Amino acid sequence: CDLADELEVQRAFGEVRSLCARIDFLILNAGVASIELVEDYASLGEITGNVRANLLGPIACTHLALPLMEAGGRI
């Protein structure tokens, strides 16, 4: 799913909840890579999209995964 899209992240975890009783581990490995300087971005929307994907996406995934993790689960 697109980590920059909160609704997609929620839908993905809804599917995980319906398929899995629990999560044993969460790997936060997705993101957007950019070598550009802030001044090189074409728009503020590009910057906020990258922040959503790289910062808020993993936070949202962690928040939604924690209720499915039992003691001993790992992030």
Side-chain angles (χ1 to χ4, degrees):
C1 76
D2 181 355
L3 291 180
D5 186 326
E6 182 181 340
L7 291 177
E8 280 193 37
V9 174
Q10 289 177 352
R11 270 182 261 176
F13 272 89
E15 190 171 333
V16 169
R17 275 191 302 276
S18 71
L19 296 172
C20 305
R22 70 173 199 257
I23 295 175
D24 294 319
F25 58 92
L26 175 66
I27 299 171
L28 300 167
N29 191 39
V32 177
S34 178
I35 306 171
E36 300 174 52
L37 300 172
V38 171
E39 63 204 29
D40 294 333
Y41 281 96
S43 69
L44 184 57
E46 275 186 79
I47 295 169
T48 56
N50 284 356
V51 169
R52 281 190 200 103
N54 294 334
L55 176 65
L56 299 178
I59 291 171
C61 289
T62 301
H63 175 75
L64 294 168
L66 284 174
L68 300 172
M69 298 182 92
E70 297 179 4
R74 299 282 186 250
I75 299 173

